[in-house]
Amino acid sequence: MNNIKIIFSIESGEKIDLDKLKSQIFYLSKISTKEKYFEKLEETIEFFDSDKKIYRYIFKVGYPVILFEKGIFQILNIIDKLSRFLEGYKIKVVDLEIPEPFLSKLKDKSVKSFLSEKKGPVISFVPNKYYGLNSYEYSSEIYELFRNGAEFVVEDTVFDGNFLISFEDRLKLGIDLISDLKKDDVVFPYYIPSVSGSIKDVLEKIDRLNESYLAGFNISLTPFGIEVIRYITEISNKSVFVTVNPIYFSSITLSVVAKLLKLAGVSVVNIELDGSLETLKKQINKVVEINEILTEGKDNSDNPVLMITGSFLFDEILMLYKEIGNNLIINLQGSPDEHPDGYINGVKALAKFGKILQENLDLKETIKSDHNLKKFLEHMKKLDI
């Protein structure tokens, strides 16, 4: 029988009664306790110091596919029950194994057309200012971003209602952008507004977006959850960007979150990270693993694209590009402010740096004629990058 397998890790300060644990798992999962559904249970012991030992149990439970006919996200119900009711244990879902026949039935959306002609990562920008601006001032900022080299502008999910700039005004901005900037021979402006509010509000906004020429929208995984995201991808004809903040996931690894978002059919998985180089060095292996999960498969043309958001500058952009490659959106938040001549000059310089990577240009030759980029590199002491 084809099973969907969930791999758990449980840690306890005391040795666990495995028979009791096994019965609890089956009871909470609401499935038969037949032995064939319980595939593997391994026990290891780890010693952290001479006085304290931690028992760590890694086990794989196979659940029959029939349990998930109404949706893969029954998995979340199992995870939730185990996390809440197995008291006294530190439990974490570390992996999923899903049969290929089940995967082939799932619908994915793609943002590959955004990157089809790119030979390097797309550089995106988060609007720098929104507090205290009126609609006209905010529109002017977005226009300036595109006119100075931005390929994508992705709004932060802080737009959690209309207390900043209303969704209606931002939707009108996006529609005007497309008509106005095309007249100025600016590349198609991939303006990605954020969508938030109650579920009712979000669904109404998506209806409006479906009728527009905008390419997509950005929505936070929390508080909506993967089941709602899955529904949103079904009803939307746009590219769905889903923002994930790692701090909200303690009982499930980011790699499992990435698998579930892929199954949900999202277009872009946006991981928010600390922008410092030292932090990125510590996290880069996990980022690479997430990208491998998103792109794996015989035909990855419909797979989600990875977007990494943070206050990244030249070193971090290069690291992400070298470790992950072309199939990547690097979303810069606050980075242009580091330019000695201000934000817009920072946008110009970082957008040009992205072009150098995309077109495989020689940096030293390019900065001979681009004094703005040279000045930024000099300021950051990165002329030898």
Side-chain angles (χ1 to χ4, degrees):
M1 177 184 291
N2 280 330
N3 288 338
I4 289 176
K5 298 159 191 173
I6 306 179
I7 294 85
F8 299 96
S9 166
I10 286 185
E11 293 182 358
S12 173
E14 299 178 354
K15 193 170 180 66
I16 295 175
D17 182 333
L18 297 186
D19 290 334
K20 181 180 178 182
L21 175 62
K22 185 175 174 180
S23 65
Q24 285 179 306
I25 289 171
F26 286 131
Y27 172 74
L28 294 171
S29 301
K30 294 185 176 179
I31 66 171
S32 169
T33 57
K34 290 181 180 178
E35 201 64 31
K36 63 183 179 181
Y37 290 153
F38 198 89
E39 293 205 340
K40 189 176 182 182
L41 181 58
E42 297 178 353
E43 178 189 348
T44 61
I45 302 174
E46 298 177 355
F47 293 88
F48 292 102
D49 56 49
S50 58
D51 300 320
K52 180 181 178 184
K53 57 184 178 180
I54 295 294
Y55 294 85
R56 184 166 183 256
Y57 301 83
I58 302 294
F59 56 96
K60 180 187 296 185
V61 185
Y63 298 96
V65 169
I66 193 171
L67 288 173
F68 306 99
E69 282 188 339
K70 293 184 179 179
I72 190 70
F73 305 107
Q74 291 287 346
I75 290 173
L76 297 179
N77 294 330
I78 293 172
I79 293 170
D80 179 63
K81 286 182 175 67
L82 290 170
S83 299
R84 287 190 292 118
F85 292 105
L86 289 180
E87 298 180 359
Y89 306 136
K90 182 180 178 181
I91 184 168
K92 194 164 194 173
V93 179
V94 295
D95 204 358
L96 294 174
E97 293 180 6
I98 301 169
E100 185 62 34
F102 192 90
L103 286 172
S104 65
K105 297 178 181 179
L106 296 167
K107 172 187 172 187
D108 282 333
K109 297 201 171 195
S110 176
V111 72
K112 289 284 185 177
S113 60
F114 292 1
L115 310 175
S116 60
E117 298 178 0
K118 306 297 180 185
K119 297 179 182 178
V122 166
I123 301 296
S124 172
F125 294 88
V126 179
N128 193 42
K129 299 176 182 177
Y130 31 82
Y131 288 104
L133 298 185
N134 59 35
S135 297
Y136 174 78
E137 292 167 332
Y138 184 71
S139 298
S140 297
E141 181 190 359
I142 304 300
Y143 271 72
E144 284 301 299
L145 287 171
F146 283 112
R147 286 199 173 100
N148 285 283
E151 296 179 286
F152 277 65
V153 173
V154 181
E155 283 185 349
D156 195 300
T157 51
V158 296
F159 284 99
D160 54 352
N162 288 342
F163 75 97
L164 292 170
I165 299 164
S166 73
F167 175 78
E168 290 299 322
D169 285 343
R170 289 183 284 124
L171 182 60
K172 181 178 183 302
L173 158 64
I175 295 168
D176 291 345
L177 272 171
I178 293 171
S179 58
D180 293 350
L181 290 179
K182 289 300 285 183
K183 293 176 187 175
D184 298 341
D185 292 325
V186 175
V187 295
F188 184 87
Y190 287 109
Y191 166 64
I192 310 296
S194 67
V195 172
S196 52
S198 68
I199 293 178
K200 180 175 180 292
D201 290 339
V202 165
L203 297 181
E204 289 175 353
K205 290 172 182 176
I206 290 171
D207 282 342
R208 296 295 312 280
L209 282 162
N210 283 343
E211 298 170 359
S212 76
Y213 293 107
L214 270 66
F217 57 90
N218 185 23
I219 187 168
S220 177
L221 178 55
T222 51
F224 298 108
I226 292 175
E227 289 169 311
V228 173
I229 297 297
R230 171 66 176 173
Y231 178 68
I232 286 171
T233 66
E234 290 288 350
I235 65 170
S236 175
N237 58 26
K238 303 300 179 184
S239 294
V240 181
F241 290 55
V242 177
T243 293
V244 179
N245 191 319
I247 66 173
Y248 295 117
F249 297 93
S250 58
S251 63
I252 185 170
T253 64
L254 276 182
S255 58
V256 173
V257 174
K259 283 189 177 184
L260 291 170
L261 287 173
K262 182 177 180 177
L263 293 170
V266 308
S267 304
V268 175
V269 176
N270 175 31
I271 307 293
E272 295 182 326
L273 294 178
D274 184 323
S276 70
L277 181 60
E278 289 307 311
T279 302
L280 187 59
K281 286 179 179 177
K282 296 176 182 176
Q283 296 175 321
I284 194 67
N285 288 339
K286 178 57 65 177
V287 172
V288 170
E289 179 187 351
I290 290 170
N291 187 62
E292 289 173 349
I293 288 168
L294 295 180
T295 56
E296 68 184 356
K298 294 180 181 178
D299 178 7
N300 66 6
S301 61
D302 288 332
N303 288 340
V305 172
L306 178 63
M307 181 164 78
I308 303 296
T309 295
S311 301
F312 305 127
L313 287 165
F314 302 104
D315 282 331
E316 294 83 8
I317 292 170
L318 265 180
M319 178 184 290
L320 287 166
Y321 173 46
K322 288 177 179 178
E323 294 291 340
I324 297 175
N326 301 344
N327 190 41
L328 174 68
I329 302 172
I330 302 175
N331 194 35
L332 304 180
Q333 188 168 36
S335 312
D337 279 325
E338 298 295 328
H339 196 291
D341 291 337
Y343 181 75
I344 288 299
N345 283 299
V347 170
K348 287 181 183 177
L350 289 164
K352 186 58 175 283
F353 190 65
K355 290 291 184 185
I356 289 170
L357 297 179
Q358 289 175 6
E359 299 173 17
N360 197 27
L361 301 176
D362 185 276
L363 177 60
K364 291 182 179 178
E365 287 298 315
T366 303
I367 61 176
K368 289 179 181 179
S369 59
D370 193 320
H371 301 295
N372 180 57
L373 175 57
K374 182 179 180 181
K375 188 170 187 178
F376 202 176
L377 288 165
E378 286 177 337
H379 178 69
M380 302 303 298
K381 298 182 174 58
K382 297 298 179 185
L383 278 176
D384 60 344
I385 194 167

